[in-house]
Amino acid sequence: MRYSMEGVHAGHRTDCSGYAAMALGFAPRGLRDPNTTALNSSSYSSPVEMSQLLRGDLIIDPSGPRHIGHVVIFEAWANARRSSYWAYEQRGGYGTDHRVLAYGLRAGSRFHGRRPNRVGGGGAGSGKRNVVTFANATGYASTSEGSTAEGVLSKGRNYVYCRRWGDITKVGSSYNHYWLWTDLDRVYAGRHGRAWVSAYYLGPQGDDKANDVIGVPIPEC
């Protein structure tokens, strides 16, 4: 994927912060994806010592030269000394890359560790929560059945990333305001593979509930 601060791919801006937003499962906002300064704020992340980094954490220079910052996504330490690490990034003049870096590990570096407040942070790996849906469910572009249909999540065992309060889904006497951010099994032509599915399809948990298969509330988006 080619780097561009003006481009969009799969609903996300194709620069470093847009790539991080996509990897963390944020709702697609195109050119309005959070930039490095926003990702560095308490709205999206909290400080973490570089020595304590876990998979899915961010290493951020929030401003950088000419006020253009940079962010990479930590994967794993590259050696026992923790003097470098494997990371994913979207970098200018190159594009998407997976390589060994040492940003933030040297004295005076502008880079520092941040742990995402939700999906992917805190060593949660992919940030996925297992659920079971009792029927095929349409995925939408936003938390409303009035928005664009993106595709279908198949009946059965699935995973979701997080939940968000939205428009009510009501069938008979059952209803649910929660929506689940997930990857669809079937994507309509020209649409996005990640979308919102009503938590109504999680079945007999009770109205306005959105729990995973072990009964733990799915984290908020």
Side-chain angles (χ1 to χ4, degrees):
M1 183 170 62
R2 187 176 65 86
Y3 179 97
S4 172
M5 295 178 69
E6 305 298 328
V8 174
H9 174 77
H12 291 282
R13 194 175 56 245
T14 55
D15 61 2
C16 63
S17 51
Y19 177 73
M22 178 179 68
L24 292 170
F26 292 179
R29 298 173 61 190
L31 298 180
R32 295 186 296 111
D33 274 338
N35 59 21
T36 52
T37 301
L39 290 175
N40 190 63
S41 72
S42 60
S43 296
Y44 289 95
S45 65
S46 55
V48 62
E49 294 293 330
M50 292 294 294
S51 61
Q52 300 301 311
L53 289 172
L54 298 169
R55 181 174 298 179
D57 285 342
L58 305 176
I59 300 98
I60 301 179
D61 171 5
S63 56
R66 304 185 305 281
H67 303 290
I68 299 175
H70 191 52
V71 55
V72 303
I73 304 166
F74 179 85
E75 182 192 23
W77 293 106
N79 56 55
R81 302 188 310 278
R82 298 194 173 189
S83 61
S84 60
Y85 51 84
W86 282 97
Y88 292 92
E89 67 176 328
Q90 180 78 354
R91 58 186 175 114
Y94 187 87
T96 308
D97 203 0
H98 179 223
R99 59 178 181 152
V100 174
L101 297 171
Y103 298 157
L105 297 176
R106 294 168 185 158
S109 175
R110 293 188 302 267
F111 285 87
H112 53 269
R114 301 286 296 190
R115 179 153 296 162
N117 294 339
R118 61 179 181 84
V119 180
S126 65
K128 298 172 182 176
R129 295 297 185 93
N130 292 321
V131 298
V132 174
T133 50
F134 69 84
N136 291 348
T138 300
Y140 293 92
S142 68
T143 56
S144 169
E145 292 181 340
S147 63
T148 302
E150 305 280 10
V152 176
L153 182 70
S154 297
K155 170 185 176 180
R157 190 174 183 89
N158 289 292
Y159 63 80
V160 300
Y161 293 101
C162 54
R163 67 181 186 178
R164 178 176 293 176
W165 194 263
D167 286 358
I168 190 171
T169 300
K170 187 172 184 179
V171 180
S173 60
S174 298
Y175 62 89
N176 207 309
H177 284 85
Y178 277 116
W179 290 76
L180 309 169
W181 185 236
T182 189
D183 297 315
L184 302 176
D185 296 303
R186 179 162 60 91
V187 182
Y188 296 149
R191 303 312 306 165
H192 301 121
R194 193 167 283 180
W196 296 99
V197 170
S198 174
Y200 164 79
Y201 290 94
L202 296 182
Q205 296 187 357
D207 298 329
D208 285 344
K209 304 280 188 190
N211 301 331
D212 62 19
V213 292
I214 60 174
V216 176
I218 295 164
E220 299 285 339
C221 293

